[in-house]
C-alpha cells in the first residue's frame, strides 16, 4: 500500500479467494448491513472497505466490526480522492493478498449481495463480469426519470462512441479475474467518477480479456446522499468523446 492508506486486519490464516472491494464515503448507515449480507452470501470471501475519511464515522463502524471479523479489512485514506482511486487501491490490496477473483460493489445497498454467487459463477469463464441493469432480467425498480435518462443516455453514448459490446458499461457491480487485473498493470492513469467503469471495460478488452453481463436488480439507496455531480458526468462525457474520436482517427490511418 502506498502513502495514501494502510490496510488493517489479519489475513494470514485465511484462504485467498474472493476479495470484495467496497468504496465508502459517508455510508455509516449502510456498511454494517452490507458487510453482514455480503458474508451471508459468500462466507469464504474477504471484504476490503476503502474509506476516504468519511465525516460521518464510517471507518469507526468498520473498525468495530473488525474486532471479531478477520475477513474484514479497511483502507483509510486521509481525504476524499474519488471513486476510481478508491477502487484501484482496494483491487491492488486484493491482488497483494493473493485473491483470484475481485468484486467491486457500492456500499449503499444498491448492489444486492445475494447476486454475488451468480456474478462469481460467470467469472469462472470470463475476465470481467458486469452486473447489468440493461440485459434481460435486469431492472431498476425505483429510479426517477432523471436518473433513468442519465444512465440510459450515458450507455447509449458510450455504445455509439466506443462499441464495447456492453449494455451497462457504467455499472460498478462487477467481478474481475486477478489474471486480467495483473495484466492491466494497475494503477495506470484513470478517471475518478463513474467514467472509471467505462474505462475499465476498455482496459480489460484492450488487454485481451473477455467480458460478459449478468442481470441485476439495482435498488435505489435508502440512506445517505448520492455523490454523483456535474463534474463526474462531464469527466465521463469528455473522455468517452475523446476515446471515440481517437479510435476513429486511428482506424482511418
Ligand atoms: N472512498 C470513496 N468512495 C466513494 C467516493 N465517491 C463515492 N464513493 C462510494 O462509491 C459508491 C458509489 O457512490 P454513489 O454516491 O452511490 O454513486 P451512485 O451510485 O452513482 O449514485 P446514487 O445512485 O445516487 O447512489 C458508494 O459506495 C460511495 O460511498 C470517494 O470519493 N471515495
Ligand atoms: Mg449509489
Amino acid at each position: 500500500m502506498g502513502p495514501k492508506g494502510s490496510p488493517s486486519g489479519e489475513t494470514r490464516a485465511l484462504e485467498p479467494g474472493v476479495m470484495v472491494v467496497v468504496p465508502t464515503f459517508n455510508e455509516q448507515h449502510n456498511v454494517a448491513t452490507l458487510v453482514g449480507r455480503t458474508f451471508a452470501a459468500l462466507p469464504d470471501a474477504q471484504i476490503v472497505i476503502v474509506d476516504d475519511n468519511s465525516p460521518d464515522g464510517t471507518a469507526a463502524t468498520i473498525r468495530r466490526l473488525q474486532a471479531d471479523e478477520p475477513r474484514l479489512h479497511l483502507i483509510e485514506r486521509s481525504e476524499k480522492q474519488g471513486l476510481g482511486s478508491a477502487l484501484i487501491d482496494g483491487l491492488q490490496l486484493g491482488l497483494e493478498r493473493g485473491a483470484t477473483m475481485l468484486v467491486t460493489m457500492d456500499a449503499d445497498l444498491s448492489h444486492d449481495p445475494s447476486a454475488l454467487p451468480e456474478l462469481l459463477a460467470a467469472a469462472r469463464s470470463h475476465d470481467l463480469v458486469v452486473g447489468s441493469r440493461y440485459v434481460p432480467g435486469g431492472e431498476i425498480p425505483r429510479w426517477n426519470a432523471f436518473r433513468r435518462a442519465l444512465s440510459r443516455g450515458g450507455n447509449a453514448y458510450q455504445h455509439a462512441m466506443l462499441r464495447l459490446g456492453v449494455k451497462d458499461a457504467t455499472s460498478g457491480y462487477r467481478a474481475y479475474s486477478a489474471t486480467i487485473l495483473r495484466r492491466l498493470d494497475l494503477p495506470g492513469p484513470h478517471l475518478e467518477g463513474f467514467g472509471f467503469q467505462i474505462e475499465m471495460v476498455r482496459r480489460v478488452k484492450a488487454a485481451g480479456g473477455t467480458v460478459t453481463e449478468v442481470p441485476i436488480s439495482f435498488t435505489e439507496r435508502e440512506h445517505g446522499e448520492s455523490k454523483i455531480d456535474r463534474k463526474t458526468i462531464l469527466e465521463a462525457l469528455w473522455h468517452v468523446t475523446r476515446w471515440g474520436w481517437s479510435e476513429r482517427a486511428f482506424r482511418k490511418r
Side-chain angles (χ1 to χ4, degrees):
M1 223 16 57
K4 278 187 287 183
S6 56
S8 56
E10 191 50 69
T11 55
R12 256 166 291 155
L14 295 169
E15 195 63 35
V18 178
M19 182 68 88
V20 181
V21 178
V22 183
T24 56
F25 193 75
N26 287 344
E27 302 287 3
Q28 199 223 327
H29 295 292
N30 296 316
V31 279
T33 310
L34 180 92
V35 165
R37 287 194 198 160
T38 302
F39 285 137
L42 293 180
D44 295 330
Q46 300 185 54
I47 302 175
V48 57
I49 304 285
V50 188
D51 186 67
D52 280 0
N53 202 7
S54 297
D56 75 347
T58 300
T61 304
I62 295 300
R63 281 195 297 271
R64 272 196 298 279
L65 295 172
Q66 278 184 309
D68 48 9
E69 183 46 87
R71 296 168 294 177
L72 181 60
H73 310 281
L74 174 64
I75 296 175
E76 292 190 76
R77 311 196 306 170
S78 55
E79 58 184 4
K80 192 169 188 314
Q81 292 171 50
L83 177 61
S85 66
L87 290 171
I88 295 263
D89 280 3
L91 292 170
Q92 283 188 303
L93 178 75
L95 293 176
E96 282 163 21
R97 300 280 167 102
T100 52
M101 284 186 198
L102 298 98
V103 171
T104 64
M105 190 165 79
D106 288 355
D108 55 3
L109 302 171
S110 287
H111 298 153
D112 184 352
S114 66
L116 283 166
E118 202 185 330
L119 227 67
L120 291 173
R124 282 193 208 110
S125 49
H126 292 87
D127 295 302
L128 168 58
V129 181
V130 178
S132 175
R133 297 162 285 194
Y134 304 127
V135 292
E139 55 172 9
I140 315 164
R142 286 174 34 223
W143 252 10
N144 64 34
F146 173 71
R147 287 307 304 270
R148 272 178 207 278
L150 190 64
S151 176
R152 281 280 190 191
N155 270 300
Y157 191 61
Q158 64 82 11
H159 175 70
M161 294 304 282
L162 306 173
R163 307 264 169 213
L164 293 170
V166 173
K167 291 201 158 44
D168 196 356
T170 57
S171 169
Y173 198 9
R174 299 170 167 211
Y176 296 90
S177 72
T179 313
I180 198 69
L181 288 178
R182 288 218 168 79
R183 228 185 283 162
L184 300 190
D185 205 11
L186 298 176
H190 57 82
L191 306 189
E192 285 309 336
F194 65 74
F196 173 85
Q197 306 296 358
I198 302 173
E199 184 177 38
M200 285 299 275
V201 178
R202 285 186 85 227
R203 286 174 77 177
V204 165
K205 292 196 85 160
T210 56
V211 184
T212 191
E213 293 178 273
V214 300
I216 57 160
S217 178
F218 182 97
T219 320
E220 177 61 319
R221 68 158 70 241
E222 276 176 26
H223 302 285
E225 277 173 26
S226 170
K227 280 109 217 160
I228 199 160
D229 57 12
R230 200 178 313 168
K231 183 171 158 272
T232 307
I233 297 166
L234 291 176
E235 181 198 56
L237 198 62
W238 160 241
H239 285 277
V240 168
T241 305
R242 197 171 62 83
W243 294 328
W245 283 113
S246 67
E247 274 156 30
R248 277 181 179 77
F250 183 74
R251 276 200 297 270
K252 269 190 201 146
R253 259 190 264 138

